[in-house]
C-alpha cells in the first residue's frame, strides 16, 4: 500500500513570495490533515478535511495560508505571502476516518525555508 | 487549549544505558500515542495506550499511561544506536472541540552513542 505522498520535499523562497505544497493521501482515506512542525517543536495542526469539507481550520493563519481539497482526494496548501516565521516542515497526514481510534499516517513532509 | 509537556528535550546516552521520556498534561486524553520521527521523514506511530494505568511493551520499549489519563512515559532498556531519533508523544482529545485531535509534545531528541 502506497503511503502519503508530498511534494516538493524542499523549498527555499524569499519572504513575501508565494509557495504551494501538494499532498496525495493513502487511497480511500477520507480524512486529511496539514501540520506545521517548527524546528524543535512537535507538529501543530493547521487544517483538517473530511472528504472535501473543512472540519477544523481554527489554527490556520487565514490571512496568508489557504488550503483546498477540491475532489476529496489530494490537497494543496498555499502560503501567500510567506514570512520568515513560516520556515518549518509541513506535514500531511491521512486517516481512514476522523476520530480518536483512527491512526493517522504521515507523509515525509516539505521543508520550507524562507529567507 | 490542551498542552502536553514532554521532557527531556535532549538525551545523549551511551549504548546499553536505560532512559525514560515523560509526557505530562493537566488535560485528560482519550488515549495517548508515541511516535518516532527520523530526519527527513514524517512521524511513525509506535504505540497507542488507551486505558488509565495501561502498560504496553514493544521489545525494549515500555509505554505507560497514567491512571488519570493525563500523563505517559516511554522507557527504553539497553538503548542501541538504532534507537536514535526524535520521539514524540501525542494526546488524543477526549471531547468537545478537541475530540479525536492530536496534541503533540515538543519531542525528545535521543542520541545513542556506540
Amino acid at each position: 500500500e502506497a503511503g502519503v505522498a508530498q511534494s516538493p520535499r524542499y523549498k527555499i523562497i524569499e519572504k513575501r513570495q508565494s509557495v504551494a505544497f501538494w499532498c496525495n493521501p493513502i487511497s480511500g482515506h477520507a480524512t486529511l490533515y496539514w501540520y506545521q512542525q517548527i524546528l524543535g517543536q512537535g507538529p501543530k495542526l493547521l487544517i483538517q478535511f473530511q472528504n472535501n469539507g473543512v472540519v477544523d481550520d481554527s489554527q490556520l493563519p487565514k490571512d496568508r495560508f489557504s488550503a483546498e481539497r477540491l475532489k476529496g482526494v489530494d490537497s494543496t496548501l498555499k502560503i501567500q505571502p510567506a514570512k520568515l516565521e513560516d520556515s518549518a516542515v509541513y506535514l500531511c497526514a491521512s486517516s481512514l476516518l476522523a476520530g480518536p481510534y483512527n491512526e493517522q499516517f504521515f507523509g515525509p513532509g516539505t521543508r520550507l525555508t524562507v529567507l | 487549549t490542551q498542552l502536553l509537556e514532554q521532557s527531556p528535550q535532549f538525551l545523549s546516552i551511551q549504548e546499553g544505558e536505560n532512559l525514560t521520556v515523560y509526557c505530562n498534561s493537566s488535560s485528560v486524553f482519550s488515549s495517548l500515542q508515541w511516535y518516532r520521527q527520523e530526519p527527513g521523514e514524517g512521524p511513525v506511530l509506535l504505540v497507542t495506550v488507551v486505558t488509565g494505568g495501561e502498560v504496553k511493551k514493544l521489545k525494549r520499549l515500555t509505554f505507560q499511561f497514567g491512571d488519570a489519563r493525563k500523563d505517559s512515559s516511554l522507557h527504553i532498556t539497553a538503548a542501541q544506536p538504532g534507537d536514535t531519533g526524535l520521539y514524540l508523544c501525542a494526546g488524543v482529545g477526549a471531547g468537545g472541540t478537541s475530540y479525536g485531535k492530536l496534541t503533540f509534545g515538543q519531542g525528545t531528541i535521543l542520541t545513542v552513542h556506540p
Side-chain angles (χ1 to χ4, degrees), chain A residues 17-50:
Chain A
Q17 285 188 326
S18 302
V19 65
F21 313 127
W22 175 81
C23 171
N24 192 22
I26 293 173
S27 178
H29 280 195
T31 309
L32 185 147
Y33 312 80
W34 282 102
Y35 290 86
Q36 180 192 57
Q37 186 174 22
I38 293 173
L39 187 64
Q41 299 180 20
K44 182 186 82 171
L45 179 68
L46 293 175
I47 189 167
Q48 176 184 343
F49 290 94
Q50 182 71 19

Side-chain angles (χ1 to χ4, degrees), chain B residues 1-15:
Chain B
T1 303
Q2 297 184 310
L3 294 174
L4 205 49
E5 295 290 331
Q6 188 172 342
S7 63
Q9 190 174 357
F10 301 97
L11 206 48
S12 180
I13 61 173
Q14 293 297 125
E15 183 175 1

Side-chain angles (χ1 to χ4, degrees), chain B residues 32-102:
Chain B
L32 201 132
Q33 300 178 342
W34 285 91
Y35 291 81
R36 180 177 165 185
Q37 187 175 17
E38 302 279 0
E41 300 296 329
V44 175
L45 182 65
L46 295 174
V47 77
T48 301
V49 283
V50 180
T51 308
E54 181 177 4
V55 177
K56 279 191 174 178
K57 291 192 174 183
L58 195 66
K59 296 183 180 178
R60 295 176 293 101
L61 278 60
T62 302
F63 306 85
Q64 187 163 6
F65 201 13
D67 291 340
R69 305 206 325 271
K70 294 181 179 181
D71 53 84
S72 181
S73 64
L74 157 62
H75 182 78
I76 301 179
T77 304
Q80 299 177 0
D83 296 328
T84 294
L86 173 66
Y87 289 83
L88 293 159
C89 61
V92 183
T97 57
S98 300
Y99 182 72
K101 292 185 171 53
L102 297 182

Side-chain angles (χ1 to χ4, degrees), chain B residues 11-27:
Chain B
L11 206 48
S12 180
I13 61 173
Q14 293 297 125
E15 183 175 1
E17 293 184 357
N18 301 332
L19 66 111
T20 303
V21 179
Y22 299 93
C23 265
N24 296 288
S25 176
S26 58
S27 303

